[in-house]
Amino acid sequence: MRLWRVEETERLVKSELARELAETWARCGDEQCLADTPFEPELVGVGRWWLGPFTIGNRKMGEIPFFSLPPVFTCPGHTPFCLKWCYAIYEIVNWRAHVREAAAYLLSLRDDFPDVAVRYLSRLPHPVVRLHVSGDFYDRRYLEKWAEVARRLPHKTFYTYTKSLRLIRGADIPKNLIIHLSADPFNYAEVAEVWRELRRGFITFVYTPGRDEELQALQHLLENTEATILLFLNHVQHAPRARVDVAQLRRRLRERLGPAASRVVFDPEEFAGGPQCLQCRLCWIYRPATF
Ligand code: SF4
């Protein structure tokens, strides 16, 4: 099955518009230069909510700058679960965001990408940066570029979730680049293996209401790692709409998984409506004993 969103990405990364936007970002580095370009502010990224390729915050995170890439196209570890449920495919439906993601991908291919990223990030006062609200580490060189950016900005913390499991094995990742492993019913065995090698970060898992058979993956992750499992809630528009009773789900997990269920953490924003990441901070502050 061909996804419209992927076809659109393939078109956009070849477009003159994305190419020119990436070149503009590489040439600029501050608000004035961006404002002097012919692009509209929301596209080039100038104003309260952007700085060049960085978007500053969203509803879930609060005011945290992020850098995103096109979904699937930049996700070598994507699984059938992603194609069916990924929010970045189905919920980011803003054409400017699509163009910006395509341009960000072109920018990230450049050898000077770490210099460009450091230039923009140095102008942002925010101490925490999220990578890939959409997209993932698409090759080792790209991962190394972010590792370099993190080393050059040691006072900032970068965090992300990945399915690019093969790429992060054996990679030299600085402590301020926090990478959580994203498991689903198709990749959980490999995630457990990789987590045992790295012993860093959470394992994340998306809970889909009414699909409790998927919890066997959770069981495998708990039995085969000592990781903390961060449970997200499947909230794409076509996901089952059943209301999730968190206390009841917790009880069911305890009955099924035993004491290990205490290592499952429910994402507070998705299961309880808040706080936002900016206040929660679990994904970059919390360190389980195994860190
Ligand atoms: S656990 Fe907290 S910081 Fe992590 S994604 Fe959820 S709300 Fe954000």
Side-chain angles (χ1 to χ4, degrees):
M1 180 185 64
R2 295 285 290 154
L3 288 170
W4 170 81
R5 185 76 165 81
V6 179
E7 285 177 358
E8 187 208 32
T9 295
E10 288 168 356
R11 184 181 64 77
L12 282 175
V13 296
K14 290 188 208 130
S15 72
E16 191 83 341
L17 179 61
R19 194 181 54 73
E20 281 178 12
L21 189 54
E23 278 171 15
T24 300
W25 284 340
R27 177 171 55 77
C28 286
D30 62 52
E31 297 80 348
Q32 194 53 57
C33 177
L34 295 167
D36 288 343
T37 66
F39 294 107
E40 59 174 325
E42 295 87 349
L43 188 63
V44 77
V46 64
R48 172 86 170 80
W49 301 111
W50 306 272
L51 185 62
F54 293 89
T55 303
I56 304 172
N58 66 16
R59 191 194 53 77
K60 172 171 177 172
M61 295 192 299
E63 211 172 300
I64 293 176
F66 65 85
F67 181 86
S68 272
L69 296 174
V72 184
F73 183 82
T74 61
C75 304
H78 75 264
T79 69
F81 183 90
C82 310
L83 300 180
K84 185 160 184 194
W85 300 117
C86 175
Y87 66 85
I89 298 174
Y90 299 106
E91 303 236 309
I92 303 176
V93 288
N94 170 330
W95 78 267
R96 284 189 198 86
H98 297 175
V99 176
R100 285 171 57 76
E101 286 166 4
Y105 168 70
L106 297 177
L107 184 71
S108 75
L109 291 172
R110 298 171 58 108
D111 288 342
D112 62 354
F113 175 68
D115 300 331
V116 176
V118 167
R119 210 156 65 221
Y120 285 106
L121 287 169
S122 300
R123 299 187 70 80
L124 289 171
H126 312 74
V128 177
V129 179
R130 165 79 189 270
L131 306 186
H132 311 149
V133 168
S134 165
D136 206 339
F137 296 114
Y138 55 83
D139 68 18
R140 180 61 85 95
R141 178 75 191 106
Y142 171 65
L143 168 63
E144 286 167 355
K145 287 174 185 171
W146 275 115
E148 182 187 335
V149 172
R151 277 189 210 97
R152 286 168 62 179
L153 297 172
H155 55 290
K156 288 196 191 282
T157 301
F158 299 80
Y159 77 103
T160 189
Y161 313 87
T162 191
K163 285 190 173 160
S164 300
L165 304 172
R166 268 162 238 166
L167 294 180
I168 60 167
R169 284 181 126 150
D172 183 11
I173 299 166
K175 286 259 180 302
N176 63 330
L177 174 50
I178 297 171
I179 301 180
H180 305 294
L181 305 185
S182 170
D184 69 31
F186 295 88
N187 72 354
Y188 63 90
E190 193 183 358
V191 166
E193 215 179 286
V194 174
W195 190 91
R196 284 200 305 271
E197 261 177 53
L198 303 175
R199 297 193 165 267
R200 292 174 65 164
F202 294 137
I203 294 176
T204 66
F205 191 85
V206 178
Y207 173 68
T208 304
R211 294 178 64 95
D212 286 12
E213 71 277 8
E214 293 183 351
L215 296 180
Q216 75 189 34
L218 209 54
Q219 186 161 5
H220 180 95
L221 292 164
L222 287 168
E223 286 172 355
N224 290 280
T225 72
E226 295 87 50
T228 297
I229 314 288
L230 174 59
L231 207 61
F232 292 132
L233 182 62
N234 190 342
H235 54 71
V236 294
Q237 279 164 11
H238 55 288
R241 287 287 111 191
R243 198 177 70 79
V244 179
D245 180 332
V246 173
Q248 198 183 58
L249 179 58
R250 227 181 250 291
R251 247 191 333 273
R252 276 217 314 279
L253 289 180
R254 254 201 311 272
E255 281 161 19
R256 183 160 168 176
L257 310 171
S262 63
R263 280 192 277 128
V264 178
V265 174
F266 289 65
D267 179 288
E269 203 282 333
E270 297 190 6
F271 283 93
Q276 293 176 310
C277 301
L278 190 61
Q279 289 85 37
C280 169
R281 308 191 306 160
L282 195 66
C283 286
W284 61 94
I285 295 288
Y286 179 64
R287 299 287 185 276
T290 42
F291 258 76

